[in-house]
Amino acid sequence: MSYDSRATAMTSAIQRPRPVTLACSLVVLVIVTDLTGPLLPSSEGNIVFGMVATVITGAAAFGLWMLRRWGFIASVVVAALNFLQWAPAIAIGSTSVIKALAALSALACVLIMVLVTRPEARRAYR
């Protein structure tokens, strides 16, 4: 095997589908909203959930970036849980900043679930 064919084989093995790359960037956005959520006026339960969700979402982002099957599953679960956390705040948030942050995070969670379940993305998971 020549050097060029090995380099091409390694490059094609590492290349991520575009939906996975977009989903990873949205997962980072969800991590940021999970970190800023506890800074907003809220109860202690939301603070604990935000910190735990940040750690778990970080692990899911790593697994998704490495194209692991557990990263796919973890990112779908984390996106669903984050959506359930932020969706009520869209309607009953106390300030417009909280409502905007909730809407942005909920939209990102829906997009993550759509992107990682696309056929070209699902073929990439090992």
Side-chain angles (χ1 to χ4, degrees):
M1 183 182 274
S2 70
Y3 174 75
D4 291 333
S5 62
R6 274 187 277 150
T8 304
M10 289 176 62
T11 304
S12 65
I14 300 172
Q15 191 171 14
R16 276 169 201 80
R18 186 169 299 195
V20 174
T21 305
L22 291 172
C24 285
S25 62
L26 288 172
V27 170
V28 171
L29 176 67
V30 170
I31 289 173
V32 170
T33 59
D34 282 343
L35 284 174
T36 57
L39 299 176
L40 300 171
S42 62
S43 67
E44 290 179 11
N46 284 342
I47 293 171
V48 172
F49 180 81
M51 292 299 139
V52 171
T54 300
V55 172
I56 294 171
T57 307
F62 175 75
L64 191 61
W65 184 255
M66 298 304 291
L67 298 174
R68 301 289 184 219
R69 184 135 206 63
W70 62 264
F72 157 70
I73 295 167
S75 63
V76 170
V77 169
V78 165
L81 290 175
N82 273 302
F83 178 80
L84 291 175
Q85 177 200 5
W86 287 107
I90 296 171
I92 59 171
S94 57
T95 65
S96 60
V97 173
I98 292 174
K99 288 181 180 186
L101 184 64
L104 179 68
S105 184
L107 178 64
C109 291
V110 169
L111 286 174
I112 289 167
M113 289 185 281
V114 168
L115 287 170
V116 299
T117 55
R118 299 212 24 167
E120 61 267 23
R122 291 183 61 107
R123 283 191 294 266
Y125 305 127
R126 295 176 261 179

